[in-house]
Amino acid sequence: MDTREKISARGDSKRAESPRGTGNTARGAQRRIEIIDAAIEVMARVGLAGLSMRVVASQAQIPLGALSYYFNDKSDLVAQAFQQLSDREIERVVRTAERLQPTMTTEQLADLVADMLIDGFSTPQGALVTRYELVTEASRDERLRPMFEAWYAAMVPALSRLFRDLGSHQPELDSRTIMAVMAGLEIDNVYRPLGPVDKRRIRATIRHAFRAVVALHDL
């Protein structure tokens, strides 16, 4: 089973466990997504501590009582928000991984990864801030950890295959090195909107990391 199949199976399992039946209709599923997106914006603005069902209902422009039709409680909403963010992030990772080819130059490979990283700061609005908010919560709530770990389950094999094709003797270590650089860049820039200078620095840093890792293959 390849990465995409594993992700699909994991998502099917999560959907099967959903406590509400509104996803059985296209409109119900879309409305749930819209409410979760509203919750993501709220968490990005006021943090998890400031999140309440009332504030989310106001952001989503629906009656407070309607939220109970989609979510059991605040914990259920938080868990589904984390799942939605995780699913979207995995889709972005898979799309980028499929474009990474060993015939590309080091700069081309690095730029594709940098594009993915930069895009994550604004797609959708507030998603990156909320993801880090929820990652912190995962340190307290073990039910959220598998969703965060799913990102690594998607990215590590994809980058490892690339570095193996490039001649790496330690492809998984190489991939985790690049991912550590990416995580550091996210944290360094998450507190404010990215400007043109920030984007250039991100691209330069990712290029430098890729060149350093690839250079080790010849040692």
Side-chain angles (χ1 to χ4, degrees):
M1 182 180 291
D2 62 18
T3 301
R4 186 181 291 277
E5 290 170 336
K6 290 178 181 177
I7 292 167
S8 176
R10 185 162 47 242
D12 290 343
S13 173
K14 291 293 182 182
R15 284 187 288 273
E17 297 168 2
S18 177
R20 299 298 186 190
T22 56
N24 292 333
T25 67
R27 178 55 188 159
Q30 180 59 35
R31 195 58 178 139
R32 180 192 298 273
I33 290 171
E34 292 168 357
I35 294 170
I36 292 175
D37 282 341
I40 289 170
E41 291 183 30
V42 170
M43 281 187 275
R45 189 171 65 247
V46 302
L48 192 58
L51 181 73
S52 71
M53 300 297 269
R54 186 177 300 279
V55 174
V56 171
S58 176
Q59 180 73 28
Q61 298 183 329
I62 64 172
L64 176 60
L67 283 183
S68 63
Y69 186 61
Y70 297 91
F71 309 98
N72 291 331
D73 50 27
K74 176 181 172 178
S75 294
D76 184 33
L77 173 59
V78 168
Q80 292 197 47
F82 205 164
Q83 183 66 59
Q84 185 161 297
L85 281 172
S86 178
D87 288 345
R88 285 174 175 171
E89 187 66 14
I90 288 171
E91 288 175 7
R92 290 195 323 113
V93 167
V94 170
R95 285 198 305 269
T96 300
E98 289 176 342
R99 297 175 61 193
L100 298 173
Q101 301 297 325
T103 53
M104 292 178 173
T105 66
T106 303
E107 287 73 20
Q108 288 173 325
L109 293 170
D111 286 348
L112 280 176
V113 173
D115 286 343
M116 181 189 73
L117 187 64
I118 291 169
D119 180 65
F121 280 90
S122 59
T123 309
Q125 189 67 36
L128 183 61
V129 174
T130 300
R131 181 156 64 86
Y132 273 94
E133 186 82 17
L134 291 171
V135 166
T136 301
E137 183 64 16
S139 69
R140 308 183 187 100
D141 186 347
E142 63 181 16
R143 294 172 299 176
L144 300 177
R145 293 171 194 170
M147 292 175 242
F148 178 67
E149 291 166 354
W151 189 87
Y152 282 90
M155 194 64 174
V156 170
L159 279 176
S160 295
R161 284 194 298 272
L162 170 67
F163 286 123
R164 188 178 298 111
D165 290 341
L166 289 172
S168 172
H169 302 297
Q170 296 180 300
E172 183 172 333
L173 180 59
D174 288 345
S175 66
R176 291 188 179 277
T177 299
I178 294 297
M179 290 172 64
V181 172
M182 293 168 61
L185 288 169
E186 285 184 337
I187 292 174
D188 284 348
N189 293 279
V190 72
Y191 66 95
R192 55 179 168 70
L194 286 183
V197 173
D198 301 312
K199 293 178 182 180
R200 287 196 295 272
R201 286 174 178 166
I202 287 173
R203 292 186 188 282
T205 303
I206 295 293
R207 281 189 174 195
H208 182 72
F210 262 85
R211 282 195 294 265
V213 167
V214 171
L216 292 175
H217 300 170
D218 298 327
L219 297 180

